[in-house]
Amino acid sequence: MGKKSIVVEVMKKRLAPYGFQYADYEGYRWRFSRELDGLIQSVVIQKSYHGNDYTLEMDNGYWFGRSREITDDPNCKLDFLPFYNEEEQIAVLNKLLDLVEQYGLKKLEEKAEESRAKIKEMEEWLYPTPEMYKKLYEENSKLTQNFMEQYYTDKLSEEDMLLLLKRELEKIKGEPYEDVQDKLIELASVYGNMFIKKVGGCWKYIERDGLSGVDITLYHWCDILQELVKIWQREDAELILNYYNDNCNGIIRWVRSCRKLHGEDWQPSSSYAKWKVPLM
């Protein structure tokens, strides 16, 4: 029996009694879901790209957790458990799914009310228009250059650039959305190009969905414009610093660890990474 069939078989056996059904498989991720009191709750087994190992994820549409969040134990180290044969594979799957029964179902119940409130809040969020996304993709280079020339940013440090973006967001706080869309596109252009310079990646436009964003080699697709719209709507410009630093720091730690082991010239394998990772 293939690895994929084993995962589905074990998950079905363990999760079906609780109402979870097979939902989908994408990107080395097997998802079983159920609907309970209006919330879609999911259990996911994820395999790493490079080896035979699994980790567990759970979510309820807003709350998300791996082993530490599920168990509330900061010392829990049950992420990406390795296996070397079919017997070990089944044992690892059952060990992870034990967490669902012992802790996860209760955690989903605990987080239900909070998640419903957050999802309701999310439904009230504003979203970029397809025209905004297209302008961002087509004009991000020109908009970034114009911004740099206008504010003389050539000699600004990264931290000062983030503080400048924060101040620019604060200036348009509370204004009508239609009046600030061009400014948000401009700030998203600068913000996205900072990510690319820092950790590698490329602007990407998905025509079928009318979306544009930054595809980062060692992270994932970043909907930069949506993040800026959310931060502006929440009227909490400080989030722009938190979002940037949190995302970059995780990538930097990984790259530095790999380069310590494999040399300063280390790059992700070409089958995994589309663009080179810069020096860090």
Side-chain angles (χ1 to χ4, degrees), residues 145-162:
Q145 185 62 36
N146 290 343
F147 183 89
M148 293 176 66
E149 291 174 357
Q150 180 181 356
Y151 294 98
Y152 306 101
T153 65
D154 287 346
K155 296 182 180 180
L156 290 184
S157 66
E158 178 182 79
E159 182 178 359
D160 286 338
M161 278 292 293
L162 289 171

Side-chain angles (χ1 to χ4, degrees), residues 20 23 31-42 59-63 108 119:
F20 290 92
R31 179 181 297 275
F32 274 64
S33 299
R34 71 180 184 183
E35 183 175 352
L36 188 64
D37 297 330
L39 283 179
I40 302 297
Q41 302 176 338
S42 295
D59 71 80
N60 64 3
Y62 176 78
W63 176 83
L108 289 175
I119 290 170

Side-chain angles (χ1 to χ4, degrees), residues 52-99:
N52 287 329
D53 48 32
Y54 293 135
T55 192
L56 170 72
E57 297 176 359
M58 296 184 70
D59 71 80
N60 64 3
Y62 176 78
W63 176 83
F64 166 90
R66 285 186 175 173
S67 60
R68 295 182 184 183
E69 293 80 16
I70 292 168
T71 62
D72 286 327
D73 181 357
N75 297 314
C76 185
K77 298 180 179 179
L78 294 180
D79 288 332
F80 292 108
L81 301 181
F83 60 89
Y84 302 98
N85 54 50
E86 184 173 312
E87 182 179 356
E88 291 181 359
Q89 180 190 11
I90 294 172
V92 164
L93 288 168
N94 279 310
K95 187 172 186 178
L96 292 172
L97 293 169
D98 284 344
L99 296 182

Side-chain angles (χ1 to χ4, degrees), residues 86-210:
E86 184 173 312
E87 182 179 356
E88 291 181 359
Q89 180 190 11
I90 294 172
V92 164
L93 288 168
N94 279 310
K95 187 172 186 178
L96 292 172
L97 293 169
D98 284 344
L99 296 182
V100 177
E101 292 184 328
Q102 295 171 10
Y103 304 97
L105 297 175
K106 182 179 179 182
K107 180 62 69 173
L108 289 175
E109 182 180 350
E110 290 174 355
K111 294 292 183 178
E113 185 175 346
E114 175 188 349
S115 295
R116 288 191 187 93
K118 291 294 185 181
I119 290 170
K120 184 178 180 181
E121 177 186 331
M122 289 165 61
E123 290 172 349
E124 297 172 354
W125 283 348
L126 297 168
Y127 292 90
T129 66
E131 292 77 18
M132 292 171 69
Y133 278 121
K134 190 167 186 180
K135 181 175 181 178
L136 174 63
Y137 177 71
E138 294 177 345
E139 301 182 24
N140 72 82
S141 180
K142 180 179 72 175
L143 291 171
T144 299
Q145 185 62 36
N146 290 343
F147 183 89
M148 293 176 66
E149 291 174 357
Q150 180 181 356
Y151 294 98
Y152 306 101
T153 65
D154 287 346
K155 296 182 180 180
L156 290 184
S157 66
E158 178 182 79
E159 182 178 359
D160 286 338
M161 278 292 293
L162 289 171
L163 291 173
L164 174 58
L165 293 177
K166 176 187 171 183
R167 289 195 297 270
E168 291 300 300
L169 269 176
E170 289 172 338
K171 287 180 183 177
I172 57 175
K173 182 171 64 175
E175 295 187 17
Y177 184 44
E178 294 76 10
D179 296 345
V180 300
Q181 289 180 359
D182 285 342
K183 186 65 177 181
L184 289 169
I185 295 169
E186 177 189 52
L187 297 180
S189 298
V190 178
Y191 199 45
N193 282 314
M194 288 180 67
F195 269 109
I196 292 171
K197 181 179 179 181
K198 183 78 169 182
V199 296
C202 185
W203 287 99
K204 188 174 181 180
Y205 181 66
I206 305 176
E207 188 170 1
R208 70 176 183 276
D209 299 323

